[in-house]
Amino acid sequence: MSAITEAGVVGAVDKELFIGGKWVPAKSGKTFEVQDPSTGTALCEVADAGAEDGMAALDAAVAAQAGWAAVAPRERGEILRRAYDKLIERRDELALLMTLEMGKPLAEAAGEITYAAEFFRWFAEEAVRIDGGYATAPNGVGRFLITKQPVGPTLLITPWNFPMAMGTRKIGPAVAAGCTMVIKPAAQTPLSMLALASILAEAGLPEGVLNVVTTTDAGGVMEPLIRDGRARKLSFTGSTAVGRKLLEQCAEKVLRTSMELGGNAPFLVFDDADLDAAVDGAMQAKMRNIGEACTAANRFYVQRGVAEEFSRRLTERMQALAMGRGTEEGVVVGPLIDEAAVNKVTALVKDATDRGARVLTGGATVDGPGHFYQATVLTDVPVDARMASEEIFGPVAPITPFDSEDEAIAKANDTEYGLVSYVFTNDVKRALRVSERLEAGMIGLNQGIVSNPAAPFGGIKQSGLGREGGTVGIEEFLETKYIAVSL
């Protein structure tokens, strides 16, 4: 892509706050810089909201709630469907915008736009399927009328690693259910969300239903909104540490919460597995989004009989990956989001090698501009290595051999997290046994990708609360009301 094209997609994005259907500057006049992680240079500056701006956004959401809840479900769904069409029509320019601010290769960015759009199409169809119930009381005297209604104004906080899809996964069900929103995207990647706000406005979303605040002071802006009491729900995707703090804040007003938090996904390969499929799955589960995903395979446990062969094949595949700026043709490994991410990966790899792990490929940073780290495979990684308990969030695959099924399950479950696990085996009985015993909200059985808008996404233990997507995703934005009827 030429510099003119890149400048064009960045220049087309409104860079102010979107409050009450209007683009407005931060009341302080402050802005902050958005950087290209492949070069470390500035792309642009966007409005830097403060607490007063956040409160104005909540005011707008509260003012719009009653009118929006009264809009017919079909019309809410049609707005989402129109937004879906616009996302697909503009996929190439939105993908380039995402690559510039986040770093992932263009092909992956285009895939994320398609994935993000699917949440709008899915929840457009779910809007008209919100149901209730009617039943006779057990004593036959009265009747039970069960209905659903929007939970009310919601606060949405999204991460930088999937800047469009994590937005549509929350906005879609909120719109379908009839909830107004204040959304705060990550400071590293605000442009995708600002572009999405424009698209939803074009699709006919009424003023005040979606309000976007970009800020470098997440706590200073969002905590007052949580403690205000008028918002009735918080949906957050991010780290477990931040999630815990938000839960404490939500407890004061008993805000309904749904949270998709950290992961530490085990990837189990048994000796009866199809190794070609296992390596393909490993590449998907590890290298999707440069490894910067909560669903990324974080710990590879491979049965000893196939560990050497699996390691060899995975190493060959990782060595063949082209690294560079995401706009360059053929690039598969883009930059990490920032210098802090590179430093974390570097420290985790050093800790593992200091404890006896061997580097089969990679294991180092890359000289020059940008935040790059080589695609890496480690073997004989001890279970006490830091990366066995901490999210790597980078292109590093640590392999640890195991002997028995029970040992593999014990190692896989030895974590406070429980988002996703991957299992590769051709034994159907083992597949079911292991899947049932793994402590995770999602299982990838002989496949390396689990995310799908039509499936319930979420974890157990300290990986989160609630589910996004699927038929249950909209329930997170609905309250159930029971009406007792006397006859």
Side-chain angles (χ1 to χ4, degrees), residues 62-317:
V62 171
Q65 179 58 55
W68 176 237
V71 170
R74 178 67 72 189
E75 176 55 22
R76 299 199 298 262
E78 289 299 322
I79 291 170
L80 287 174
R81 181 61 197 221
R82 290 193 292 270
Y84 162 82
D85 289 336
K86 291 178 183 297
L87 283 170
I88 296 301
E89 289 169 7
R90 302 176 192 176
R91 177 172 54 195
D92 290 345
E93 62 192 74
L94 291 170
L96 177 57
L97 182 69
M98 184 185 300
T99 293
L100 293 176
E101 68 172 343
M102 187 268 157
K104 69 181 68 179
L106 272 174
E108 268 205 80
E112 181 179 336
I113 301 301
T114 301
Y115 174 55
E118 280 298 324
F119 283 105
F120 279 177
R121 179 157 67 167
W122 174 262
F123 285 109
E125 297 161 349
E126 290 296 289
V128 295
R129 290 173 174 77
I130 300 170
D131 58 12
Y134 180 84
T136 301
N139 62 8
V141 175
R143 300 294 183 268
F144 299 158
L145 182 62
I146 311 298
T147 186
K148 304 284 181 66
Q149 61 187 46
V151 67
T154 66
L155 307 175
L156 311 176
I157 302 175
T158 57
W160 51 262
N161 56 340
F162 291 93
M164 186 71 78
M166 296 303 95
T168 60
R169 194 159 75 180
K170 298 180 189 302
I171 293 169
V175 168
C179 297
T180 59
M181 298 151 278
V182 175
I183 187 165
K184 187 208 76 63
Q188 297 96 324
T189 56
L191 301 179
S192 292
M193 183 57 64
L194 295 172
L196 182 59
S198 292
I199 286 173
L200 283 161
E202 289 178 33
L205 194 67
E207 294 181 354
V209 174
L210 175 68
N211 304 276
V212 182
V213 288
T214 54
T215 181
T216 56
D217 183 14
V221 171
M222 297 307 291
E223 184 173 354
L225 307 188
I226 293 171
R227 298 191 186 280
D228 180 86
R230 290 178 294 165
R232 295 311 312 145
K233 175 179 173 60
L234 170 70
S235 177
F236 169 73
T237 298
S239 72
T240 296
V242 174
R244 292 190 192 107
K245 293 179 181 179
L246 292 173
L247 282 170
E248 291 175 1
Q249 295 170 16
C250 288
E252 180 182 322
K253 300 296 182 181
V254 197
L255 258 67
R256 186 166 176 174
T257 61
S258 54
M259 296 197 170
E260 193 263 282
L261 306 177
N264 187 13
F267 190 103
L268 276 55
V269 181
F270 289 92
D271 55 11
D272 59 9
D274 179 334
L275 280 192
D276 289 334
V279 172
D280 287 343
M283 294 298 296
Q284 292 175 321
K286 178 70 264 180
M287 295 306 294
R288 183 187 181 206
N289 215 54
I290 325 168
E292 294 176 313
C294 55
T295 56
N298 208 60
R299 300 168 291 151
F300 288 82
Y301 296 123
V302 185
Q303 199 152 21
R304 201 171 299 277
V306 295
E308 184 175 348
E309 179 65 12
F310 176 86
S311 300
R312 183 187 66 78
R313 295 191 192 187
L314 183 62
T315 298
E316 289 178 354
R317 293 283 294 274

Side-chain angles (χ1 to χ4, degrees), residues 259-260 418-420 440-442 455-460 463-468:
M259 296 197 170
E260 193 263 282
L419 185 61
V420 59
M442 300 176 288
F457 187 101
I460 62 175
S463 283
L465 301 166
R467 294 294 183 271
E468 294 181 309

